[in-house]
Amino acid sequence: MTKESPIYLKDACDDYLREPTGEKVSAILYHGHKYSVLDFVEVLQTEITSKEDNMRLNAVTLLIDVTLQMAMSDAEVKVLIEFLCGRLSDKYNVIPTILTGLSRFVQEWKLQPVTVCTIAKEMFNSVDVQALHQDTRLKAYCLINDLLQKHLMCLKEGMGTKFVVNYINLVDGEQDPRNLMLIFNMTVKLLQHFPIDGIEDTMFDVISCYYPVDFTPPPDMEVPVTTEDLTSRLNNCFVASDRLAPHVFPFLSEKFNSSLMQTRMQSCETLKLCLSAYGTSCSVEQVTLIWNDMKQEIFGGVNRDLRQKCLEVVTALFAVLTSPNVKQKGLDPSQFLERVFDFCKEKLSYSEVKYLRPTALILISVIRSSGPGSGLVVEMCLPWFCEQYHTTDSDSVRQILLDEIVNFLTEMQADRSRANTAVKYLQWDKLQGIFLRILEDNDLTELHSTALSGVSEILNIYHLTGQNKDKPGLLDIRQVVRCVYNLLMSSECAEGLQILAVISKEHPEVIDTILIQELLAKVESGVDAARKILSRILTGSLLTLHSPRLVKVFLEKRDCEILSLLTTAISLQESSEIFKFCQDSIFYPILDFLTQLAIKNEDIEKAVLLFQEFTIALFKNKEREMDMTVFRKRFTRNERFKPFSCDSPATQTMLTAIYSAVLMFGSLPATFHDREITASLDHTTVVKLAVSSPDSITVKSMTSAIGLLLNRLEEGQQLDDLKNL
């Protein structure tokens, strides 16, 4: 004992050992700077080696608590660690405290490599972990985990494979799920960072014995662990290193052929993860093994959920086979894919409908795998499907083939990389020929919907890959327009209307004037289908171009859809002459039409909505010339403009539309000639009608106007501040 170590240290330690408290530890620490680690070890030597378990436990606890908070040299730390490691063979009630103390030293102190290896070796040699209680075993695993977290390179360089072998012996036989959660995490680190040459099979046995996870957590478990948690961490072990591949794939094949459905399902999930992690390391034998298992279930199984899992494995498998790195591993994907597709074709050659769907599902899975996978299906299989469609005599087979062709196209356009690869091999003329011939044949009405879906998917691929810009001759869009148009004139079809809407937006140049004039003529003749088609394809520049004819049609037909088109056309106009023509020629007829629509047909809400859209279109450009004569004709009494005194709810709500347009754009157009209307737009009356009007439409429109009005207010403003808009 040093000269600076009086009897006080012995007395203070004895006092603590008689009745341990935190305050007594603090008191010892207060004078601790006077003493060395050796002083404490010497003072506590008798108690640490006492035959009484509690005395040894208290002495070790005090030593750890005090020394962790002392300033120590590397030599002192080494001595203390060696001392504690020497006590790892103590009774079971003392070991947990030593394990916790060592973990704290590992976490909080910068240990020398030799000290780190000492802790690991003593842990492996001195502690029979599987003989300990669960919570003590967890402390032992935590100590190993702390060593791996803080000193992985020291252990790898200092112990190498020996550490892995000792670790395997340490955890062998563990069954508690709380401990397994940590063990699985540590196993991943070992597989990723430590040499396991020569012990791969032993390492694999450590994790495979727990597969598949079969665990139901008891309701009283303090630290909840779920089956999903364990499964996820165990799967992380399987994918941690490609060095396990020779063991993993045969093992999972065995599990896939189990009689237990849950085991088969789980093996598919693990297969997907392993293929994604190190599939390019697969040998031809391993790939063939996986494929044989999957195809057997897809073609012969009865469980739909398991079939879906198998298809997902096929997608993962072909993602590997079409990877640019796979050839470096000695695996030629094209030859294998050719054998797979030959197998699919062989099944289809039996002319049995039951093989069509599973074959198509496999091919869809290949499309989903990657862009190259998509290209292979288009190049090798899609032409065969088209050929079968033409040669089969069975209507049911023809329907299935057509459905699957459309399904292929749908999957291709779902991803740009798939579409870009597939488009290199896509035979546009054959596909377009199939779909358009169906649409032109009135005896194949049951196939029209599927054919329209096919046309839609072709257009999606066409636009997604930019073919309309690079190779505009690949698809005859004019023929598509004319074919769909003829179909719509004879039968109503929402998808056909959508196709024409897309084409008019993406390719307005193919919507020729002859077609538009033909449609307008049919609208004038009262053909309802023509009006619907016109409302979908007449957009943008086409709408502006044909607006004069629209005015004529509206004046003759007084139709809401034509009015909506006309409103859009007016909002697109920039020429003041065209605007003035529209205002002078049709504003009053429109106003009259909407008023009658609201009063006679009692469709007030629709009339108000159309009127508000039309008013906003007029007010959008504040520099346009505005002549309020048409307003005054409708909304004056005795040459005075009193908008909100009108009796008709329709009139009130239309005036509110004007009021809302003013609020929306901040003011009336600069050249608005009648200032009296501005003064008459009084928010007080609007609020009054919103509160007291018996008409629900009036209340709704007034309330909407109030919302716009409130948005105009600055912070601190009142409604009275906005008398003049």
Side-chain angles (χ1 to χ4, degrees), residues 253 282-295 317 321 331 336 339-340:
S253 175
C282 291
S283 64
V284 175
E285 292 76 18
Q286 291 164 354
V287 169
T288 304
L289 178 66
I290 297 169
W291 165 245
N292 288 337
D293 285 339
M294 296 305 109
K295 76 177 182 183
L317 178 62
L321 292 171
L331 183 63
F336 181 79
R339 294 201 303 271
V340 171

Side-chain angles (χ1 to χ4, degrees), residues 67-68 70 72-82 84-85 98-120 143-144 146-155:
T67 53
L68 273 170
M70 292 176 58
M72 294 186 290
S73 65
D74 290 342
E76 289 177 314
V77 172
K78 181 175 180 295
V79 170
L80 182 59
I81 293 294
E82 290 174 349
L84 291 175
C85 287
I98 297 175
L99 291 173
T100 301
L102 287 171
S103 285
R104 290 182 62 187
F105 274 107
V106 172
Q107 293 171 13
E108 298 174 20
W109 284 80
K110 185 177 180 180
L111 304 180
Q112 295 297 313
V114 64
T115 304
V116 171
C117 292
T118 296
I119 296 174
L143 174 57
I144 298 298
D146 290 335
L147 288 169
L148 288 171
Q149 291 277 23
K150 300 282 288 187
H151 305 285
L152 188 146
M153 293 307 298
C154 291
L155 295 171

Side-chain angles (χ1 to χ4, degrees), residues 294-538:
M294 296 305 109
K295 76 177 182 183
Q296 182 176 356
E297 183 61 34
I298 293 169
F299 281 101
V302 295
N303 187 290
R304 291 186 177 182
D305 291 337
L306 181 58
R307 173 189 279 188
Q308 181 57 41
K309 292 292 184 184
C310 291
L311 290 169
E312 292 172 6
V313 173
V314 171
T315 297
L317 178 62
F318 278 80
V320 169
L321 292 171
T322 55
S323 167
N325 299 323
V326 74
K327 291 182 179 180
Q328 299 175 10
K329 304 296 181 179
L331 183 63
D332 185 354
S334 60
Q335 292 182 4
F336 181 79
L337 293 175
E338 188 174 351
R339 294 201 303 271
V340 171
F341 290 143
D342 286 343
F343 173 82
C344 294
K345 292 177 185 178
E346 179 185 352
K347 287 292 185 184
L348 289 175
S349 67
Y350 297 152
S351 299
E352 293 188 38
V353 175
K354 68 176 183 179
Y355 291 124
L356 276 174
R357 185 57 182 157
T359 297
L361 288 173
I362 289 176
L363 297 180
I364 286 173
S365 297
V366 176
I367 292 172
R368 290 174 176 170
S369 68
S370 63
S374 179
L376 284 166
V377 171
V378 174
E379 182 182 18
M380 301 172 67
C381 291
L382 190 55
W384 188 90
F385 270 76
C386 295
E387 178 185 344
Q388 293 300 305
Y389 174 84
H390 289 300
T391 58
T392 183
D393 295 326
S394 168
D395 291 340
S396 60
V397 172
R398 186 180 292 112
Q399 175 70 70
I400 295 173
L401 285 166
L402 191 65
D403 287 339
E404 300 308 343
I405 291 171
V406 173
N407 288 335
F408 294 157
L409 295 173
T410 301
E411 291 298 333
M412 290 172 201
Q413 64 87 30
D415 179 84
R416 185 178 293 274
S417 66
R418 298 181 208 163
N420 282 331
T421 306
V423 79
K424 299 175 183 177
Y425 309 102
L426 206 57
Q427 298 179 4
W428 300 91
D429 54 342
K430 288 187 178 181
L431 289 171
Q432 181 172 307
I434 289 176
F435 296 139
L436 296 188
R437 275 195 293 273
I438 292 172
L439 296 177
E440 292 168 351
D441 192 337
N442 292 329
D443 294 331
L444 296 176
T445 54
E446 71 278 3
L447 300 180
H448 282 176
S449 177
T450 307
L452 283 170
S453 297
V455 171
S456 180
E457 299 301 352
I458 286 178
L459 287 170
N460 288 336
I461 295 174
Y462 198 70
H463 298 145
L464 186 65
T465 58
Q467 292 301 310
N468 54 314
K469 297 175 183 177
D470 301 334
K471 299 178 181 178
L474 288 178
L475 186 64
D476 189 345
I477 300 180
R478 291 183 187 275
Q479 186 182 358
V480 172
V481 170
R482 180 57 65 173
C483 184
V484 174
Y485 164 71
N486 291 335
L487 175 67
L488 291 174
M489 291 306 296
S490 59
S491 61
E492 186 171 341
C493 178
E495 188 160 14
L497 288 171
Q498 178 60 28
I499 288 173
L500 291 185
V502 170
I503 291 176
S504 68
K505 179 181 178 182
E506 299 286 343
H507 309 281
E509 72 280 359
V510 304
I511 309 294
D512 55 51
T513 302
I514 295 176
L515 180 63
I516 298 295
Q517 296 295 341
E518 185 178 329
L519 282 168
L520 286 166
K522 289 182 181 296
V523 171
E524 292 175 290
S525 300
V527 179
D528 187 60
R531 179 173 53 80
K532 291 182 178 180
I533 296 173
L534 193 66
S535 67
R536 298 305 295 270
I537 69 174
L538 209 52

Side-chain angles (χ1 to χ4, degrees), residues 61-224:
T61 301
L62 177 60
L63 179 63
I64 292 171
D65 287 343
V66 171
T67 53
L68 273 170
Q69 301 181 61
M70 292 176 58
M72 294 186 290
S73 65
D74 290 342
E76 289 177 314
V77 172
K78 181 175 180 295
V79 170
L80 182 59
I81 293 294
E82 290 174 349
F83 176 79
L84 291 175
C85 287
R87 308 306 305 170
L88 283 172
S89 57
D90 206 324
K91 291 290 185 68
Y92 295 148
N93 67 322
V94 180
I95 291 176
T97 300
I98 297 175
L99 291 173
T100 301
L102 287 171
S103 285
R104 290 182 62 187
F105 274 107
V106 172
Q107 293 171 13
E108 298 174 20
W109 284 80
K110 185 177 180 180
L111 304 180
Q112 295 297 313
V114 64
T115 304
V116 171
C117 292
T118 296
I119 296 174
K121 290 175 182 177
E122 290 299 325
M123 181 70 206
F124 291 139
N125 296 331
S126 302
V127 184
D128 183 3
V129 173
Q130 297 307 315
L132 301 174
H133 190 268
Q134 180 272 326
D135 56 351
T136 306
R137 297 201 307 276
L138 183 58
K139 290 179 184 294
Y141 300 141
C142 285
L143 174 57
I144 298 298
N145 186 59
D146 290 335
L147 288 169
L148 288 171
Q149 291 277 23
K150 300 282 288 187
H151 305 285
L152 188 146
M153 293 307 298
C154 291
L155 295 171
K156 179 180 178 180
E157 295 172 1
M159 299 183 67
T161 305
K162 289 183 179 180
F163 183 91
V164 181
V165 172
N166 283 300
Y167 168 83
I168 292 172
N169 294 330
L170 183 80
V171 303
D172 185 33
E174 182 59 62
Q175 295 295 323
D176 191 277
R178 292 163 292 187
N179 295 349
L180 288 174
M181 292 283 283
L182 186 57
I183 287 174
F184 292 156
N185 280 354
M186 291 190 291
T187 302
V188 170
K189 286 189 178 68
L190 296 182
L191 287 168
Q192 291 176 340
H193 300 288
F194 278 73
I196 59 171
D197 298 335
I199 58 170
E200 294 94 340
D201 54 345
T202 306
M203 195 66 185
F204 180 71
D205 290 341
V206 171
I207 57 177
S208 62
C209 65
Y210 298 106
Y211 193 93
V213 172
D214 182 16
F215 166 69
T216 302
D220 58 345
M221 181 176 283
E222 294 182 3
V223 181

Side-chain angles (χ1 to χ4, degrees), residues 9 26 48 54 56 75 109 115 323 370 398 413 449 487 514 524 593 615 629 648 657 673 722:
L9 179 59
S26 299
I48 288 175
N54 286 337
R56 293 199 310 280
W109 284 80
T115 304
S323 167
S370 63
R398 186 180 292 112
Q413 64 87 30
S449 177
L487 175 67
I514 295 176
E524 292 175 290
F593 162 69
T615 308
T629 304
S648 167
H673 294 318
L722 292 180

